Amino acid sequence: MKKIVIVGAGPCGILLAHYLLQRDAQYQIEVYERRNDPRQVPLYNSKTIPYGINERGLIPLRRIKGLEEAIKAQCVKNYGLIVHQKNCKTRVFPKKQPTFNTDRISVVMTLLSKLMEKSENGKVKLHFNCKCSHLDFHNKTVTFEKIKETASKEAFTVNYDLLIGADGARSVVRRHLLNTDFFEFEQKYVHACYKTVFLPGSNEKTGIKLKSDCLHVWRPEEGITFGAVPQLNGTFIGLLFFPKNEKKVVGLSSTAEVMDFFHQNMPEVGQLLSEAEAAAFLKRPISTQLKTRCNRYHYGDSVLIMGDAAHAVSSSLGQGCNNAFEDVMVFDSLLDEYADEWAAAVEQFTIRRQPDAYALWELDTNVFPASKTLFLEFMVRESFAKIMNKLFPQFFLPPLREVLSTTALSYAEILKSYQGWISKVKKSNEKLFSLKE
Ligand SMILES: Cc1cc2nc3c(=O)[nH]c(=O)nc-3n(C[C@H](O)[C@H](O)[C@H](O)COP(=O)(O)OP(=O)(O)OC[C@H]3O[C@@H](n4cnc5c(N)ncnc54)[C@H](O)[C@@H]3O)c2cc1C
């Protein structure tokens, strides 16, 4: 029996274990994750981020019995975008097909519990608190540090026949590929940092209520954006994006200042924010995001990276997890195509996935303009596209946001179709960011 070691039990690593488990080939699957088993961490201790799962991510889930239903059961259907303006007026951008909103922990927990239901005779072995620290491609071994409660570490080494790095944007597996010939890698920090904030959907005292089947967005000034993503229990997970040196956010130093910031800039959010949450917001660390791309996702016949480890993007388009799921499905179909012959399958994975990963890198940075004026133009274009596409579908493309959030069209095709807008935004964003640096 051949042994497959997966590094990382994020959405990509766990979905991959599902796919490998249902293959006829006899594989022994071992998954190693540096964090705790999320099923054993009290929810109030968990850090989470909101997720929107769309058609691109649902198709791979659909191919494993019961997964699509299980994930959808954790989701709220989001039928559009509400942009809140400074004068408290709103603009609504509905869409025909919903995005399914949930959060990372719910996705991971659901995938995990379904995996355990299906893994008879311990065919999949999960190892938590095991951090991958070293790889020896020649001898096909991987070393982990077992992280103990006492914070002490104990190293151990396991062998593999196939190693898959699904260990996220800061992948250790990818780092080891840097030592292999002709491997090229690029990383960029996304201009916007972010902080999460957890909000109820309504406040009886003030009478404010956010529509629970929509994504809500505020753009009080250039560079600062706040998005509130609906959750199944009626609450919202908010994400505040801001440039790394933005004093209005990084300079906040008391609960009162946080309350005041939200009341001034996003009055509706200010009315939902409790003092306790404002205090928690203040303590939460500022998170950064990395974009990465590389020219190869495999090494020889026995190492592969996928998901964020292969091609991380920012959260702006809500594509990373959907794209990671698609990676898994593509790899599975390559195993079908090449009758589980890994050398061919891993090489083809690079060839098939790279054009889309590069296209997503471009889209990710350049769909939304940082300039407020251009953002207004974007919204007008989107509304116009919607009307024209409805009237003359053969001549006019649907709105770009809708194509990204409701279809599984390849990123390369999307980029080609909207190249004019993407080039315009790229020029404007580069100018704006070079002025600010
Ligand atoms: C604020 C925010 C919002 C987002 N919203 C969306 C969205 O709406 N829709 C969407 O599709 N995507 C979204 N994304 C992107 C999404 O989070 C990622 O693309 C997705 O999680 C990628 O999955 P992954 O399994 O490849 O990587 P990860 O989710 O990063 O998982 C990697 C796993 O590997 C583990 N690991 C890392 N290093 C090691 C090591 N050395 N040893 C062992 N284990 C290791 C990590 O602990 C982690 O569990 C968002 C991201 C952010 C930051």
Side-chain angles (χ1 to χ4, degrees):
M1 190 182 281
K2 291 201 165 175
K3 181 159 140 190
I4 302 190
V5 169
I6 300 173
V7 181
C12 184
I14 312 172
L15 184 66
L16 176 64
H18 272 279
Y19 266 81
L20 292 172
L21 188 63
Q22 75 167 18
R23 293 196 65 74
D24 289 337
Q26 289 296 298
Y27 292 138
Q28 179 193 338
I29 305 153
E30 295 195 0
V31 186
Y32 291 84
E33 164 61 46
R34 78 172 171 197
R35 292 192 192 137
N36 286 334
D37 184 341
R39 295 164 300 178
Q40 288 167 14
V41 180
L43 265 183
Y44 56 84
N45 268 347
S46 316
K47 283 190 239 156
T48 198
I49 46 174
Y51 268 6
I53 307 292
N54 59 41
E55 190 58 15
R56 186 183 307 280
L58 290 173
I59 294 171
L61 293 174
R62 208 165 284 154
R63 295 205 179 169
I64 305 283
K65 196 164 175 275
L67 269 196
E68 183 187 13
E69 296 76 7
I71 294 284
K72 278 186 174 172
Q74 303 295 321
C75 294
V76 60
K77 285 184 192 169
N78 156 0
Y79 279 101
L81 168 71
I82 299 187
V83 179
H84 294 256
Q85 294 163 347
K86 259 218 157 138
N87 55 10
C88 289
K89 287 193 175 153
T90 53
R91 296 191 63 175
V92 185
F93 298 88
K95 56 183 179 190
K96 270 186 259 152
Q97 276 187 53
T99 298
F100 292 83
N101 282 127
T102 180
D103 72 297
R104 187 180 189 279
I105 290 180
S106 302
V107 169
V108 169
M109 298 262 266
T110 307
L111 290 175
L112 264 181
S113 63
K114 284 278 166 197
L115 183 66
M116 287 301 94
E117 269 174 31
K118 290 177 180 168
S119 165
E120 296 148 7
N121 311 325
K123 243 179 120 184
V124 178
K125 290 197 174 71
L126 296 173
H127 305 268
F128 290 94
N129 298 308
C130 293
K131 184 179 168 200
C132 170
S133 57
H134 184 71
L135 290 152
D136 181 339
F137 292 153
H138 181 69
N139 290 310
K140 296 193 178 175
T141 61
V142 49
T143 302
F144 294 95
E145 288 170 355
K146 177 85 188 157
I147 302 158
K148 300 193 170 164
E149 270 173 21
T150 54
S152 63
K153 293 173 191 163
E154 196 177 275
F156 65 98
T157 299
V158 297
N159 65 313
Y160 62 83
D161 294 303
L162 178 64
L163 179 97
I164 302 186
D167 50 342
R170 292 175 169 81
S171 168
V172 170
V173 179
R174 188 189 60 225
R175 204 168 71 211
H176 282 74
L177 289 177
L178 288 173
N179 298 327
T180 64
D181 282 347
F182 300 107
F183 181 76
E184 288 170 13
F185 166 71
E186 183 182 356
Q187 76 170 41
K188 267 192 176 173
Y189 273 91
V190 176
H191 282 284
C193 300
Y194 74 93
K195 266 187 148 187
T196 45
V197 61
F198 298 85
L199 300 167
S202 60
N203 180 344
E204 275 180 18
K205 274 191 208 151
T206 59
I208 184 93
K209 188 173 185 342
L210 296 184
K211 243 177 141 304
S212 59
D213 58 356
C214 285
L215 169 69
H216 296 254
V217 170
W218 290 256
R219 289 180 55 114
E221 58 186 81
E222 276 183 5
I224 299 184
T225 303
F226 185 79
V229 187
Q231 300 295 306
L232 190 61
N233 60 4
T235 64
F236 283 76
I237 304 181
L239 291 167
L240 178 68
F241 294 97
F242 51 91
K244 66 177 188 296
N245 297 324
E246 178 54 66
K247 287 205 180 65
K248 284 181 188 150
V249 182
V250 296
L252 294 171
S253 61
S254 67
T255 306
E257 281 179 19
V258 173
M259 295 296 284
D260 195 44
F261 170 80
F262 280 102
H263 275 289
Q264 293 290 327
N265 292 290
M266 300 123 216
E268 299 83 352
V269 180
Q271 292 177 60
L272 292 168
L273 186 67
S274 67
E275 292 219 359
E277 182 53 22
F281 172 84
L282 200 60
K283 284 194 197 138
R284 257 173 230 135
I286 292 172
S287 300
T288 56
Q289 295 187 69
L290 265 190
K291 285 179 65 152
T292 65
R293 59 178 169 184
C294 39
N295 68 340
R296 177 156 50 77
Y297 305 140
H298 69 284
Y299 176 70
D301 61 356
S302 58
V303 178
L304 186 65
I305 49 174
M306 57 169 72
D308 272 14
H311 43 63
V313 286
S314 82
S315 59
S316 71
L317 302 176
Q319 297 294 321
C321 180
N322 290 292
N323 196 23
F325 285 170
E326 200 173 55
D327 270 358
V328 172
M329 186 178 69
V330 170
F331 182 56
D332 183 65
S333 40
L334 287 169
L335 288 175
D336 284 344
E337 214 174 300
Y338 293 95
D340 288 80
E341 201 220 301
W342 292 340
V346 297
E347 189 182 0
Q348 281 299 317
F349 183 81
T350 295
I351 295 169
R352 303 264 173 104
R353 293 306 277 161
Q354 205 188 41
D356 283 330
Y358 276 45
L360 181 58
W361 166 289
E362 280 297 305
L363 290 165
D364 178 69
T365 328
N366 302 310
V367 165
F368 297 122
S371 141
K372 225 177 158 185
T373 333
L374 218 51
F375 186 74
L376 281 178
E377 182 184 326
F378 175 65
M379 287 316 203
V380 173
R381 274 174 179 259
E382 290 284 277
S383 302
F384 182 71
K386 197 176 181 83
I387 298 166
M388 297 311 277
N389 174 255
K390 203 171 171 188
L391 295 174
F392 311 105
Q394 65 277 41
F395 299 118
F396 288 89
L397 294 165
L400 175 50
R401 224 174 39 81
E402 200 163 309
V403 171
L404 281 163
S405 67
T406 60
T407 74
L409 212 66
S410 82
Y411 294 120
E413 278 177 70
I414 298 176
L415 179 64
K416 203 167 141 206
S417 305
Y418 296 83
Q419 190 66 64
W421 172 249
I422 298 299
S423 304
K424 184 172 184 177
V425 177
K426 190 173 186 175
K427 229 164 139 187
S428 156
N429 280 358
E430 280 173 0
K431 198 167 150 200
L432 210 76
F433 289 128
S434 68
L435 288 176
K436 286 192 173 170
E437 268 159 9

